[in-house]
Amino acid sequence: MKITEQVTMIVAGLTRIPAGELRLDTDIFESRLLTSLGLLDLVSRLEQEFKIIILPEELIHEHFASIATIIGFIDNKLAEAS
């Protein structure tokens, strides 16, 4: 499964919105798809799914604003690990 599909499925599971209805560019917080507590769940699931560690200083809007920015962040984390 591609990173795009994996991240979309994780967000869909947390928001209870079907994956097909989620847009990659929708701001997750401005649209109130996730709360700050939801972000913690998201981070935990991303760490498990991709076997990465997300540091507290990386919990910034630029990394988690949308599914697209999360995908870019995950891509960078995986590239750093290899």
Side-chain angles (χ1 to χ4, degrees):
M1 187 181 303
K2 292 173 48 178
I3 291 175
T4 300
E5 295 166 346
Q6 291 170 289
V7 171
T8 301
M9 293 304 294
I10 291 169
V11 173
L14 290 171
T15 61
R16 294 186 173 85
I17 295 173
E21 293 180 20
L22 291 170
R23 292 184 38 171
L24 296 182
D25 62 346
T26 298
D27 190 300
I28 291 174
F29 299 101
E30 285 184 16
S31 62
R32 299 178 190 234
L33 292 178
L34 287 179
T35 63
S36 55
L37 289 177
L39 175 62
L40 297 177
D41 286 339
L42 174 63
V43 167
S44 175
R45 291 182 190 201
L46 292 171
E47 288 179 326
Q48 290 173 352
E49 180 73 24
F50 297 103
K51 297 179 182 19
I52 59 173
I53 295 172
I54 299 173
L55 302 172
E57 58 267 19
E58 294 174 318
L59 297 176
I60 58 174
H61 187 261
E62 289 81 18
H63 293 160
F64 295 95
S66 66
I67 293 173
T69 60
I70 295 168
I71 292 165
F73 175 67
I74 297 296
D75 275 337
N76 288 338
K77 291 291 284 185
L78 294 173
E80 289 173 8
S82 61

